[in-house]
Amino acid sequence: MSTANAYLTVAGLGVDVVYKDIKNLHISVYPPVGRVRVAAPQRLDEDAIRLAIIQRLPWIKMQRQQLQDADRQTDRCMVSGETHYVWGERYRLDSSRVGRSHIELKGKILWLTAPADADGDAKRAILDRWYRRELKAALPKLIAKWEPIIGQDVAKFVVRRMKTKWGTCQTATRAIWINPELAKKNPRCLEYIVVHEMVHFLERTHSERFVTLMDKFMPDWQARCDELNDAPLAAEDWS
């Protein structure tokens, strides 16, 4: 459970700190511009946290640069001719069809059918619901594949939009949560996130043991992580 929050400036870098009932400190860098967040054990004082951040500065700067250099889509208005991504592939939107809400991929066209009175927000909601259905259809096979490999069962999965995470897990309920934005990325990225969250059932933090387990179960996980980070970011406020 989080107990207190703090804000530190280290080497000119603003860092959000949240104190938790955990054993090890964890540093995260979030899109779109590289906001830095530290989850710290309650026993650590600010000096210890500052030292840990300074020691990881090269890695933090590299992560921030990758995010700032990443391609970003312009805001999607849901008009014909826009580019949208599905499982890592680019499609041109055609939203000219009128009728019952429906999404269809044909060639390199993403056909969106909507009622005559549907505005941009309504059409966006139709597409968002379709992305969620795509994920919900893909996840059971992935989970079933990896449960015997990792030796951990997933009781349930939830597809839920999260502003700062691709996925998360709840060890108490054996649940994993997946960001619907992953339906826009290469399927390899979704598989990486599923494995990442399932490995957290074995190791809660991103410790050396976690890295060792990831290396064991998915030797190319770092390449998949880089692929996910390098993929175009949605024109979304992640703050």
Side-chain angles (χ1 to χ4, degrees), residues 147-214:
E147 281 179 330
I149 297 173
I150 299 174
Q152 298 292 309
D153 294 331
V154 176
K156 67 175 182 178
F157 65 84
V158 177
V159 176
R160 179 173 178 176
R161 187 169 296 281
M162 295 172 279
K163 286 187 176 292
T164 60
K165 297 179 179 179
W166 293 114
T168 189
C169 67
Q170 312 241 331
T171 55
T173 59
R174 314 295 292 176
I176 61 173
W177 293 11
I178 300 296
N179 193 323
E181 283 288 306
L182 282 165
K184 302 176 183 179
K185 313 304 180 185
N186 189 301
R188 287 166 39 86
C189 299
L190 172 62
E191 187 170 30
Y192 155 65
I193 292 297
V194 168
V195 172
H196 182 114
E197 299 309 328
M198 291 179 69
V199 169
H200 273 312
F201 289 157
L202 296 170
E203 173 55 56
R204 283 295 301 151
T205 68
H206 294 100
S207 63
E208 290 185 11
R209 178 172 181 256
F210 177 85
V211 173
T212 298
L213 288 169
M214 287 297 296

